[in-house]
Amino acid sequence: MKFLCQVWFETAEISKLSEEEGRQLTQESIDNDNRLRASGHIIVANALREPETARTVRVRQGGTAITDGPFAELKEHLGGFVLIEAKDMEEATRIAATFPVARYGMIEVRAAFDIRFPDE
């Protein structure tokens, strides 16, 4: 089974990290990702840029509206995602608990599935 692990940072906590602490966290995360990749659990892992760099796209009644960044100050923000392979939710949550970034926020784990029509 595939599981999407969304990495949610507590914005105030992650912003307190010094440059050296940030480098250390990044290295710990790379090491953990490499270990999980070698065990066959990681399919893809990516970090995301800061929310201020985002654009929001909405399509309503045939019109497209694009806005920059978030609308409000965020207490938490999506910092990345990891798509993993695990036998069940219990194994997926055990894997997510190994992510070093969980110390600065939370990891939301959701089962993923392919959307297909029955005859495909």
Side-chain angles (χ1 to χ4, degrees):
M1 293 179 66
K2 290 181 178 75
F3 293 87
L4 179 65
C5 302
Q6 296 180 63
V7 178
W8 288 91
F9 288 121
E10 292 180 15
T11 303
E13 289 302 308
I14 199 72
S15 66
K16 292 179 189 175
L17 291 180
S18 69
E19 190 174 323
E20 177 56 34
E21 290 169 325
R23 276 196 295 273
Q24 182 179 351
L25 178 60
T26 297
Q27 188 59 56
E28 289 174 21
S29 296
I30 290 168
D31 293 344
N32 192 61
D33 287 356
N34 288 339
R35 182 181 62 76
L36 291 170
R37 197 170 283 111
S39 69
H41 288 101
I42 282 191
I43 297 168
V44 65
N46 287 110
L48 297 173
R49 300 276 180 211
E50 294 76 17
E52 296 79 25
T53 66
R55 288 196 176 163
T56 302
V57 178
R58 286 184 173 78
V59 178
R60 301 289 186 277
Q61 299 174 339
T64 301
I66 301 170
T67 55
D68 292 335
F71 283 109
E73 185 175 327
L74 304 172
K75 293 183 181 183
E76 297 174 337
H77 68 273
L78 185 61
F81 63 91
V82 183
L83 185 62
I84 63 172
E85 185 76 39
K87 66 180 179 183
D88 54 27
M89 180 60 86
E90 287 71 29
E91 182 180 37
T93 53
R94 281 194 303 275
I95 291 168
T98 71
F99 299 173
V101 294
R103 297 190 305 258
Y104 300 96
M106 65 182 176
I107 311 298
E108 180 180 323
V109 181
R110 288 194 202 182
F113 61 96
D114 291 328
I115 299 175
R116 298 185 185 185
F117 290 105
D119 59 337
E120 291 184 354

